[in-house]
Amino acid sequence: MSAEIGAFSSVDLVVWSGTGNTRFVADRFSEAARSRGAETRVFSLESIGERQPGTRDLLGLLGPTHGFTTTWPVLKAALTLPNVRGTDAFVLVTRGGTRIAGRIFAGFEGTAAYLPAALLALRGARIRGVGAIDMPLNWTVIVPSFGPSNAAAIVEKGRLQTDCFAASVLDGETAFKGLGQLFLGILILPLSLGYLLIARLLLAKMFFADERCTSCGTCEKNCPQQAVHLRGAVRRPYWTYRCQNCMRCMSNCPTDAIQGSQAWLLFYIWLIALPVGTLVAGILVRALGVSDGAAAGVVHLVSGYVWIAASVWFAYGILWLGLLVPGLRVVLSRATLTRLYRRYRGPRALD
């Protein structure tokens, strides 16, 4: 299209991406904007402190779907990005598409796109579009990634979806997609909140490095949340609760040493199911003399959450220390299915 067709002269895209799916979509949108004569800038949330977005005609916030909703970094961006009031804006998320028997099935984004869009609208932005793009499912700590042909087919579908969405927004129209998925996402919002508050912590503590780890530091250097740290005399990676399960570390490990322990995840689930938090809450309620039902409920909620965070942290410490013992490390590293999984290298690896 000619440059005169575009409705916006400057476009800022703010992106949070793990394996590169969302960044691929942002770059594709940026190309569409430039083809219409717009000046575009793409900001990564992990380094946004170095270059803050300024004034622009159109703001785009892009991120992945986790737990059928958005992620903490994207929520934070929706709440804190500067110069939002009075700006035209859109939110675009990626979701895990699949391909079975030659047919591509759409992922499920739930509230991932409309939740940050609502926050931007509350801050005074004019929302021009909300949508979701299918990209290859990349949750390789749980399931293996697709082969090259299947992944490439899903990426191509995502490319076409992005072009269609970009054409609508950049040419001055509105594009509000996925209203049916939004309705279902609202119905399961408690499940999504459970993921953000609890399941994410358990999944973060699934990661470990097996005997193939060379302590190269790639996982630590590339983590968008600074959640991975090399610790100990042997400099082995340790995952903190800052981890958002974006899969960048697992996808980019040069020796495929990063694994996820399904057995340890089951152990976490068993551990947090123990009534320790309830017992402690009962003691605190009596000690504090709390008689109000709401106040007692808050004590129970806080006590239960502290037990979950503390017990999983302690159990993960045992796993990490066990991995320092050569013989035990071999046993622990073999007790996972992820050693058999194909890694997802990101859409750029398919070009």
Side-chain angles (χ1 to χ4, degrees):
M1 292 186 181
S2 62
E4 290 74 24
I5 294 179
F8 304 98
S9 61
S10 59
V11 179
D12 280 352
L13 304 177
V14 179
V15 188
W16 192 82
S17 183
T19 59
N21 281 346
T22 310
R23 181 63 190 232
F24 175 86
V25 170
D27 290 341
R28 187 71 181 180
F29 192 101
S30 178
E31 291 173 11
R34 287 197 301 271
S35 73
R36 289 163 170 78
E39 177 186 352
T40 66
R41 298 184 299 175
V42 181
F43 298 87
S44 173
L45 272 181
E46 61 194 272
S47 58
I48 200 169
E50 302 172 7
R51 296 188 306 148
Q52 282 286 348
T55 57
R56 85 297 280 175
D57 293 330
L58 179 67
L59 169 67
L61 179 58
L62 298 91
T65 298
H66 285 189
F68 314 122
T69 191
T70 189
T71 62
W72 287 120
V74 173
L75 278 177
K76 180 181 178 182
L79 288 167
T80 61
L81 282 174
N83 305 312
V84 165
R85 181 169 296 278
T87 298
D88 288 303
F90 70 89
V91 175
L92 196 55
V93 300
T94 52
R95 61 191 182 188
T98 58
R99 188 172 188 245
I100 302 173
R103 182 180 177 185
I104 297 176
F105 295 87
F108 179 59
E109 75 271 17
T111 55
Y114 280 91
L115 182 55
L119 294 177
L120 289 173
L122 288 173
R123 296 183 61 207
R126 295 185 297 268
I127 305 301
R128 305 291 302 177
V130 180
I133 306 298
D134 288 300
M135 293 295 286
L137 183 66
N138 61 356
W139 204 19
T140 45
V141 73
I142 300 295
V143 294
S145 70
F146 293 102
S149 61
N150 285 329
I154 300 171
V155 168
E156 181 58 26
K157 179 182 179 180
R159 193 194 313 266
L160 296 175
Q161 289 174 323
T162 304
D163 290 347
C164 182
F165 182 88
S168 295
V169 173
L170 292 171
D171 292 343
E173 303 172 6
T174 57
F176 292 93
K177 311 292 185 180
L179 291 174
Q181 290 221 12
L182 171 63
F183 176 75
L184 294 175
I186 292 173
L187 292 179
I188 64 168
L189 191 57
L191 179 63
S192 295
L193 290 175
Y195 170 83
L196 289 174
L197 295 172
I198 298 174
R200 182 186 64 80
L201 304 184
L202 275 61
L203 293 168
K205 297 300 187 179
M206 283 181 67
F207 292 105
F208 69 92
D210 66 20
E211 72 279 1
R212 292 174 292 185
C213 177
T214 62
S215 303
C216 68
T218 299
C219 53
E220 181 181 53
K221 179 179 65 177
N222 289 341
C223 179
Q225 293 300 111
Q226 299 179 328
V228 186
H229 304 292
L230 297 184
R231 292 184 175 179
V234 294
R235 308 295 291 165
R236 291 287 173 149
Y238 176 97
W239 279 260
T240 71
Y241 279 145
R242 290 178 60 89
C243 174
Q244 301 292 322
N245 307 291
C246 74
M247 301 299 132
R248 187 183 293 185
C249 56
M250 181 173 277
S251 296
N252 290 288
C253 178
T255 60
D256 288 343
I258 295 177
Q259 312 296 338
S261 177
Q262 293 88 2
W264 223 251
L265 177 62
L266 294 176
F267 177 59
Y268 295 151
I269 294 172
W270 173 83
L271 192 62
I272 65 177
L274 296 176
V276 175
T278 302
L279 294 174
V280 172
I283 295 172
L284 290 174
V285 166
R286 289 191 296 271
L288 297 173
V290 176
S291 57
D292 180 74
V298 170
V299 171
H300 277 273
L301 284 174
V302 173
S303 179
Y305 194 75
V306 169
W307 164 245
I308 291 172
S311 61
V312 172
W313 174 84
F314 182 77
Y316 183 70
I318 295 175
L319 172 64
W320 191 82
L321 290 173
L323 289 164
L324 300 181
V325 181
L328 189 56
R329 180 167 64 243
V330 173
V331 174
L332 291 172
S333 66
R334 295 297 191 278
T336 175
L337 296 175
T338 58
R339 286 181 68 96
L340 307 176
Y341 289 175
R342 180 188 294 110
R343 299 305 200 251
Y344 180 66
R345 302 303 185 189
R348 295 302 183 191
L350 300 171
D351 290 346

